[in-house]
């Protein structure tokens, strides 16, 4: 905890420094630090359970803060689980991006300065605070996932210097560039031309299935490559 004039920098949390009692200014500074230390503002936590999610509604999560509690003697203790934390979405009007967190995700959370549980219960319309608590972990709000180096993404949306790149966990890709879109090797150019490295089949599986490369023109047989 940092204590300004009381010299609390790098001091064990909750312990007054050797010079903390030397003046009224130092004593008041230490007391202010103690009060400020009770307010939670921003912290990292692990997701331990996820409820709901998908298109219908945003999920809620149970979380465990990762920075342990520590007393004046330096002894540490793990946090308990904080329940029913709201997860917001990237959304504007009726347009939305859905990427719900999963168990074991490490995420960042801010802390609302008032109890917003009654507002959430009222479908995010105006309401009185449920309780008079202020700046507590119970009013945490999800702010996004921290990417640990041990986790390799298997699907993504990425903005690059050439355009947008998308890949799903089945290795299907869609990449944009100045010359057009490339989807699994099929290129749709900026002029509307379609360039396929493999065969193009229309009516796949039907009685009138036609292969672009293998179909015949009457009695003349398959088309001549390059014709």
């Amino acid at each position: 905890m940092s204590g300004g004039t009381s010299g609390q920098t790098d001091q064990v949390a909750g312990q007054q420094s050797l010079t903390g009692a030397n003046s009224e200014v130092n004593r008041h500074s230490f007391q202010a630090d103690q009060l400020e230390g009770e307010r939670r503002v921003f912290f990292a936590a692990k997701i331990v359970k996820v409820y709901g999610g998908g298109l219908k509604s945003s999920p809620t999560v149970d979380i465990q803060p990762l920075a342990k509690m520590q007393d004046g003697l330096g002894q540490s203790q793990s946090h308990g689980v904080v329940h029913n934390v709201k997860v917001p979405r990237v959304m504007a009007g009726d347009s939305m991006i859905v990427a719900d967190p999963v168990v074991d995700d490490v995420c960042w959370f801010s802390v609302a300065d008032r109890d917003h549980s009654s507002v959430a219960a009222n479908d995010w319309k105006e309401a009185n605070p449920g309780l008079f608590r202020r700046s507590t972990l119970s009013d945490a709000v999800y702010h996004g996932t921290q990417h640990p180096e041990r986790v390799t993404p298997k699907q993504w949306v990425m903005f690059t210097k050439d355009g947008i790149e998308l890949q799903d966990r089945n290795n299907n890709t869609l990449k944009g560039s100045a010359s057009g879109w490339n989807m699994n090797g099929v290129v749709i150019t900026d002029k509307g031309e379609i360039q396929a490295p493999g065969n193009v089949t229309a009516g796949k599986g039907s009685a009138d299935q036609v292969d672009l490369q293998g179909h015949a023109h009457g009695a003349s047989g398959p088309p001549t490559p390059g014709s």
Side-chain angles (χ1 to χ4, degrees), residues 63-77:
I63 63 175
Q64 183 183 29
L66 293 176
K68 291 184 175 182
M69 296 179 287
Q70 193 174 42
D71 64 17
L73 297 176
Q75 297 174 329
S76 63
Q77 179 179 347

Side-chain angles (χ1 to χ4, degrees), residues 213-225 227:
Q213 288 179 304
H215 74 280
H217 293 274
S220 64
T224 301
S227 63

